[in-house]
Amino acid sequence: MTVHPLHTDDAPSPPQERPDTASAYDSTWTEQPNTQPPDDLEQVMLADGKIYVVLAVVLIIWAGLIALMVRTDRRIDRLERRIDDTGSEDTRQ
Amino acid sequence: MSTSSSPVVPPRVYRLVQGAVFLVLTGVIVAGFLGSIPQLDILEQSARNLYFHVPMWFTLMGATILSAYHSVRYLQTGDRLRDIRAREAAWLALIFGLLGIVTGMVWARFTWYVGTGKWWNFDPKQSMAAVLLLIYGAYFVLRDSIEDRDTRGRIAAVYNLFAVVTMPFLLYIIPRQLPSLHPGGEGSPAFSQTDLAPAMRWVFYPSVLGFLGLFWLLYTQRVRLAWLRDQLRDEPDL
């Protein structure tokens, strides 16, 4: 009795480690000419699996919200000053 | 003129949203940094930026639609509070858009463009988002160039409707026709099973809601303040 070997094509493929869409992006976006050696800033940002990129993004958002708060605060100041000015005029009259 | 002529929000609602936003965004930051994510090449840990970069654009989208809604209502009623609401929502849309574009630049620079020194890579979505921000920037230039208050309100409202119509084209339709770093080229990422890992959805969706809530808090604050300033200007004694 002859044993027909299973065609090798059907051999179980290695478990897929990442979704297919990622490979599409990999092929498109890895081919950037990598000409320069990593500079100091890159060495910091790329350490520990690029977690510092996330930190930078969160800090940018944080800074933006604080800047917004300062602007609103300044607006309130102006409004208060206007009310104060008119108040002092009232007492003079 | 209209029944909606008070910008005051019920204090209980405001405090409730405030507390919810604080809790949700705190949780998002903690879970965003500590939660487990799929390990992909190139992206590595920077995939966590999804929780912070993408909600900026969702917020911009919500803010521009809200702004356009109030512009329509302004054209219908002539209620000045509607004009103030439209302006403040558009202003916050611009702020969140700027944060989105700067965070996107940093993300791409240190993830896909390492070693190239490129801060601006002319990704279709990036370029189109910049065009959108310029369109919204022009809204404020247009507003400030008109002296008469009613004329300014009307013209700005009409321009705002033009601006909001460009938003879906510039942020979604055109970028998805072109090869891009962003998801969406193969169909809507909203329905895709592969673009967003299930574990990340539990942080991403609360993050979107949290930032929308944060937008609403800032928006109501600014509307109340602008309304107050507007009222004071009308007082003949002041």
Side-chain angles (χ1 to χ4, degrees), chain A residues 34-92:
Chain A
N34 199 334
T35 48
Q36 303 160 13
D39 53 28
D40 293 345
L41 191 55
E42 278 178 353
Q43 275 172 8
V44 173
M45 294 298 257
L46 298 181
D48 298 323
K50 296 175 182 159
I51 191 71
Y52 294 106
V53 181
V54 187
L55 185 64
V57 161
V58 172
L59 287 180
I60 287 168
I61 294 173
W62 181 236
L65 293 175
I66 293 289
L68 196 64
M69 196 189 77
V70 169
R71 270 189 71 107
T72 310
D73 197 42
R74 219 177 281 159
R75 247 194 199 190
I76 293 173
D77 274 352
R78 272 205 300 270
L79 206 58
E80 281 175 341
R81 225 175 293 136
R82 202 151 80 205
I83 292 172
D84 280 351
D85 288 351
T86 50
S88 56
E89 275 168 28
D90 283 349
T91 50
R92 244 181 278 136

Side-chain angles (χ1 to χ4, degrees), chain B:
Chain B
M1 192 175 284
S2 160
T3 50
S4 67
S5 281
S6 166
V8 178
V9 183
R12 285 186 63 186
V13 176
Y14 186 84
R15 275 203 301 275
L16 201 72
V17 175
Q18 205 172 31
V21 164
F22 174 75
L23 286 177
V24 169
L25 285 185
T26 305
V28 162
I29 291 171
V30 172
F33 273 96
L34 301 180
S36 68
I37 59 166
Q39 299 298 310
L40 301 179
D41 294 342
I42 304 174
L43 267 175
E44 299 177 52
Q45 298 297 326
S46 79
R48 297 175 192 278
N49 275 337
L50 173 88
Y51 305 138
F52 306 106
H53 166 71
V54 183
M56 296 296 116
W57 296 105
F58 278 61
T59 308
L60 172 136
M61 200 170 50
T64 51
I65 290 171
L66 184 70
S67 175
Y69 166 75
H70 285 298
S71 279
V72 170
R73 298 290 291 151
Y74 177 75
L75 291 175
Q76 284 174 338
T77 63
D79 180 357
R80 205 180 298 147
L81 179 59
R82 296 290 188 182
D83 189 39
I84 288 174
R85 286 188 184 281
R87 187 190 66 206
E88 295 304 329
W91 175 252
L92 284 169
L94 198 59
I95 298 284
F96 277 93
L98 282 173
L99 288 177
I101 223 160
V102 174
T103 55
M105 279 166 68
V106 171
W107 190 1
R109 168 67 180 82
F110 296 108
T111 303
W112 294 276
Y113 289 89
V114 173
T116 62
K118 275 193 202 166
W119 286 92
W120 189 265
N121 58 60
F122 290 99
D123 181 85
K125 208 159 205 163
Q126 190 181 37
S127 305
M128 295 295 149
V131 171
L132 183 72
L133 295 188
L134 289 176
I135 288 175
Y136 270 93
Y139 169 76
F140 295 98
V141 176
L142 179 68
R143 283 192 72 92
D144 293 347
S145 65
I146 301 171
E147 285 287 328
D148 181 64
R149 201 183 265 173
D150 291 329
T151 316
R152 176 174 61 205
R154 268 203 316 279
I155 292 178
V158 172
Y159 178 84
N160 197 21
L161 294 182
F162 155 75
V164 79
V165 168
T166 66
M167 185 270 289
F169 289 92
L170 291 174
L171 286 190
Y172 298 96
I173 297 171
I174 298 173
R176 284 183 184 177
Q177 310 304 316
L178 301 164
S180 169
L181 200 51
H182 289 88
E186 303 81 23
S188 172
F191 302 110
S192 163
Q193 297 302 310
T194 50
D195 276 345
L196 182 52
M200 297 182 78
R201 289 170 198 261
W202 290 100
V203 185
F204 176 63
Y205 296 147
S207 175
V208 170
L209 291 178
F211 277 106
L212 282 173
L214 181 67
F215 157 75
W216 185 79
L217 293 176
L218 295 168
Y219 161 74
T220 49
Q221 281 180 357
R222 291 184 66 89
V223 167
R224 279 153 65 195
L225 185 57
W227 179 245
L228 219 54
R229 200 171 56 170
D230 199 68
Q231 295 298 97
L232 277 176
R233 198 176 290 149
D234 282 356
E235 291 279 335
D237 295 335
L238 298 184

